[in-house]
Amino acid sequence: MLYKKIIGVLGLLPAAFLAGCGESEVTINYKLSEPVDVEVYTESYFATIDLKGEEQMGTITAAYVDLNYSTAGDTTKVKRFYRVDNSRGYLKNFMPSELAWRVKEVDFAAIDRDMVSITGLDDGYDTLLAHIPMPERWRKQLLNPDYKPHLRRLEKHRWEMDHMLTGTVPVKANITQMLKDQGRLNFALIKIDSVVTRGFENRDHRHCLDYKIYLHETESFPYYIWEQHVNSKIVPEKFIAYTKGHKAEYDTEYEVMMDPETGVPCQEREVKVGKHTMVNPATNDTATFVSHITHERLYNIKRAEKE
């Protein structure tokens, strides 16, 4: 069983929208009547399976960030401010996707499910790498110019998953065909198998529509899970020589709980089972291993302080 733990997040405010318990459909709207401040706690668990078939935890990343949501016409704007890091484990300072949460400030603009601009991520990532103490071999690896497009893609991916639904949606149903008919499942780099709405959950004193997306995807950064697998002594030392052909594919359950009235998420959870390939360049021998990755993100509305 994947080990998952979420620590408390501050800030609670009742949502204006409450759906009746017996309601079979809900209307989803992504337009805010006024700006909203949100505190996010994001925590990720990276585990790999040893040769005995036992799960070994390698890295746990965690960060607090603040978000400000606002709208201008049909555009949603989000400002993200990094606050504090609480990561631990082998790759706590070296995994690009998780370092992106620690960039000082990033601004997003989106129309419906399409993120149209991201600013602050590229320069902010370079600045972050310049200040984190690390061995030079890691700094060179993390400065790979191919990483920034991948980091932007991950930001867009989260937005697309959170804003997949629009209009009138059944509260409990397999809505895959409906979304295909609406043209909302046409993604370039992922294959979505199905989308299922699961009813309402209470989070952050909000009534949040819960839905799951079942998808297949490739890993943007397969080197890092390999590094954890072979260099944190999860497997015998001989596998350190398997330095080529790193690939990874994941079967993923991406769960979203979102406020139907505002489109501001309440919670996200990604559970990934990965199959990884590595090759010994001297012998061309190929080996595989399995990873388990879980991402949890809690979105809590900030309360106005009483005077």
Side-chain angles (χ1 to χ4, degrees):
M1 178 180 295
L2 293 177
Y3 172 66
K4 299 187 288 247
K5 174 185 175 186
I6 306 174
I7 67 175
V9 184
L10 301 177
L12 299 171
L13 181 67
F17 178 84
L18 291 176
C21 295
E23 193 167 352
S24 61
E25 294 182 334
V26 63
T27 300
I28 296 174
N29 174 26
Y30 296 134
K31 187 171 180 60
L32 296 167
S33 59
E34 59 184 4
V36 174
D37 290 319
V38 180
E39 181 180 64
V40 177
Y41 179 69
T42 176
E43 188 165 66
S44 298
Y45 293 82
F46 297 85
T48 55
I49 309 303
D50 65 20
L51 297 186
K52 296 178 182 179
E54 297 179 358
E55 183 182 75
Q56 301 289 339
M57 191 62 62
T59 301
I60 301 173
T61 62
Y64 285 94
V65 300
D66 287 337
L67 303 179
N68 175 267
Y69 286 81
S70 63
T71 58
D74 60 356
T75 302
T76 301
K77 297 182 178 181
V78 183
K79 291 183 175 292
R80 187 171 81 199
F81 304 93
Y82 165 71
R83 285 179 50 206
V84 67
D85 175 70
N86 191 33
S87 301
R88 57 267 194 206
Y90 185 69
L91 293 173
K92 68 176 184 179
N93 287 329
F94 309 131
M95 194 168 294
S97 59
E98 303 309 297
L99 288 175
W101 289 102
R102 292 157 64 177
V103 172
K104 185 176 181 180
E105 181 177 343
V106 184
D107 294 343
F108 310 98
I111 299 174
D112 189 18
R113 69 164 203 178
D114 297 321
M115 188 171 281
V116 295
S117 70
I118 304 173
T119 57
L121 182 62
D122 289 1
D123 292 342
Y125 179 74
D126 288 342
T127 300
L128 182 66
L129 292 184
H131 289 88
I132 295 179
M134 67 177 68
E136 198 57 31
R137 72 180 182 94
W138 280 111
R139 202 180 312 276
K140 285 182 179 179
Q141 180 72 25
L142 290 165
L143 286 171
N144 186 327
D146 290 339
Y147 288 171
K148 289 181 182 178
H150 284 308
L151 294 176
R152 290 193 294 271
R153 183 180 68 80
L154 288 176
E155 300 290 352
K156 291 180 179 180
H157 175 72
R158 279 197 297 273
W159 186 270
E160 289 166 348
M161 298 300 100
D162 288 352
H163 296 80
M164 181 175 287
L165 313 186
T166 189
T168 301
V169 176
V171 168
K172 287 187 178 183
N174 185 322
I175 59 172
T176 311
Q177 189 59 51
M178 182 189 81
L179 293 173
K180 284 182 179 178
D181 294 343
Q182 294 174 351
R184 298 182 75 83
L185 294 186
N186 52 333
F187 299 101
L189 299 177
I190 60 174
K191 179 183 181 299
I192 293 179
D193 295 320
S194 61
V195 184
V196 179
T197 52
R198 296 156 46 88
F200 285 93
E201 295 285 346
N202 291 321
R203 293 290 187 276
D204 180 35
H205 289 191
R206 292 185 284 162
H207 209 48
C208 308
L209 180 65
D210 182 8
Y211 62 94
K212 271 191 177 183
I213 306 160
Y214 298 87
L215 58 95
H216 186 80
E217 59 188 331
T218 57
E219 171 61 68
S220 299
F221 312 110
Y223 175 82
Y224 295 94
I225 305 301
W226 171 85
E227 173 75 28
Q228 171 174 285
H229 191 67
V230 302
N231 276 349
S232 61
K233 304 191 185 304
I234 289 174
V235 298
E237 190 173 315
K238 70 175 184 178
F239 289 105
I240 295 176
Y242 287 66
T243 57
K244 300 295 183 182
H246 299 144
K247 297 179 182 179
E249 294 186 347
Y250 290 90
D251 289 317
T252 300
E253 292 183 11
Y254 196 118
E255 184 174 12
V256 179
M257 299 179 196
M258 54 88 69
D259 184 335
E261 186 179 57
T262 64
V264 176
C266 308
Q267 182 174 347
E268 300 159 353
R269 178 187 295 117
E270 296 179 66
V271 179
K272 302 171 179 282
V273 178
K275 181 180 179 181
H276 302 255
T277 303
M278 52 186 178
V279 178
N280 186 322
T283 65
N284 287 324
D285 179 47
T286 298
T288 62
F289 66 94
V290 172
S291 72
H292 290 166
I293 298 174
T294 300
H295 303 297
E296 296 269 10
R297 294 179 285 270
L298 299 179
Y299 292 72
N300 279 17
I301 303 297
K302 287 190 173 184
R303 289 185 296 180
E305 294 184 4
K306 295 181 180 180
E307 296 183 356

